[in-house]
Structures are given as structure tokens and as C-alpha cells.
Amino acid sequence: MTRLICLSSGKGGVGKTTVAANLGSALNEFGMETVLIDANLTNPSLGFHLGIPLYPETLHDVLKGDVDIKDATYLHNSGLKVVPAGLSVDDLKNTSPESLPDVLLDLVGGPDFVLIDSAAGLGNEALHAIESSDELLVVANPDLPSVTDALKTANIAEQAGTDITGVVLNRVKGSSSELESEEVESMIGYPVISSIPEDENVQDSISLKKPLLHHKPKSNTSERFRKLAADIADIDYEPKVRESKGFFSRMLSFLKK
Ligand code: ADP
Ligand code: MG
């Protein structure tokens, strides 16, 4: 059965596209056929994250009724299947997301997972992406403005009848000024199902135009994405946590040799 999962947030820039690309890669590694949809119609960015060249057919053409969604699905060199959004000014101005629920239905029965990378906020684009999906992953950062806005996204999903799988807390630094997972859970009313650390390798992976799972496959952050994917796909997986050795512990193990 194909599961349609939307990644959305109240606030922009919290890491929806990063989580979508890496969760998709992790699901793919587990042998789950996964299609990533760039449903951020006015501000597409999945193509930038994955280095997708300009394709002849995009989600904008699909929404205009000009092509079938299967013909706008491309195989990325990471093994992911991607439906990119158009980048022309004409596309960005003149496409409406109303037909998104219908066009996504054409994928049902094919892949195991369809991940819908939505626009932030409460506008039409985000609304139709949430309405089109069976499940919602709310992406938020551990700060008050982000979590307050995420609560509004959760309310929209409740009104649309979309199940809320949980919150992915991204860019967690572990500083005392951050909201704890428990605080986020009591504010939003849904469980935090994953905490993804702040990791400078994420920015590097985006500039290299590949998912972090391909750039730093053994990193703890990549393992967090694998664990999230395993939990979503109901697969048993024990993440391998690597000790980050500081200078003094490295010196100590050197002297002990
Ligand atoms: P959104 O899709 O919600 O607008 P993006 O995924 O594009 O957000 O991320 C916005 C920026 O935040 C990117 O430049 C990315 O480098 C940075 N970022 C996202 N997640 C992390 C992380 N876990 N650690 C460090 N930087 C991150
Ligand atoms: Mg994005």
C-alpha cells in the first residue's frame, strides 16, 4: 500500500526539504520504493538540495493537466524517484495547487512511500499538500516561534482529517535555551518521534547537492534519519551511535596504548 506522507511546518527554513531528502534516502536504503514530490510550488528547493538539472516535465506541468505525474518522475542518482517543481517565473505565478490531491492519487498502488515536501505556512499550497496526504510529519526547530507555528499546522491537519504521525525536531543543539522534547510535545499535543541534531555536514551536503546519507553515511545524524525511516516503515533497526571523541579523550586513548 502506498503511504502519502506530507512534511510541513508553520515557519519556513526549519528543515522540511532536508528531512524529506534524507528520510527518503533512508527509506530507499531499507528497500522501500520512495517518490519525493517538490510541492513547494512558489519556492521549490528540492532540486537545489539534490542537484536536479532542469527537467522538461515538472509538477507544474502535471498540475496544469499537460502531463501525467509518472512522466514527471525522474530517477535521481541516489536511487530516489523525484518529481521536481518548475522554476520558470510563469510556472511560479500561474499554477494552482487545487488538483494536487487528484494527481497524487495516480501514484497510489505504485511506490511504498510518497513524501510530499510542502510549502511552509497556512496558505493554499500547504493546505492542499496536507489535504492530499494520509499522514503528516510536522517539522519544527526547538524554539518557541517555530513550535507555536507548528501548532497551527497541526490544527490544519486535524481539520483536513490527515493523521499526524508526530513531530520531527530538527537542528537540536542541546543548549539550555532550547525547548525540551517534552515541552514541545505538551505544546503541540503530538509525540516528538525524532530529534535531528544541528550538524554542519548538512550544509556541506546541500552544497554538494546530495543527501547527508550519501555525503556522511556513517554519521550520527544519518543514523537518526535511518531510525526515523525504520520507525515509520515499522522496521526493527538499532542505530549505530559513534562516540564523538574530543581532543582530551583522544589523547587519553593514545597514552593508554
Ligand atoms: P525548509 O525546507 O523547511 O525551508 P531546508 O531543509 O531548506 O528548510 O533547510 C534550511 C536551511 O537549514 C538549510 O540551509 C540547511 O543547511 C539548514 N539545516 C537544515 N537542517 C539542518 C541541520 N540538522 N543541521 C544544520 N543545518 C541544517
Ligand atoms: Mg523547503
Side-chain angles (χ1 to χ4, degrees), residues 197-229:
E198 171 77 20
D199 185 338
E200 61 189 18
N201 291 315
V202 169
Q203 187 57 56
D204 293 344
S205 74
I206 294 171
S207 41
L208 291 168
K209 302 192 186 312
K210 45 168 124 166
L212 184 76
L213 262 81
H214 290 250
H215 175 48
K216 294 280 177 193
K218 293 183 180 159
S219 66
N220 289 340
T221 310
S222 290
E223 283 295 285
R224 296 284 180 98
F225 283 120
R226 288 192 187 96
K227 178 65 178 146
L228 172 62

Side-chain angles (χ1 to χ4, degrees), residues 84-99:
L87 295 173
S88 75
V89 177
D90 185 46
D91 278 342
L92 305 187
K93 276 188 182 160
N94 297 326
T95 312
S96 70
E98 273 82 43
S99 51

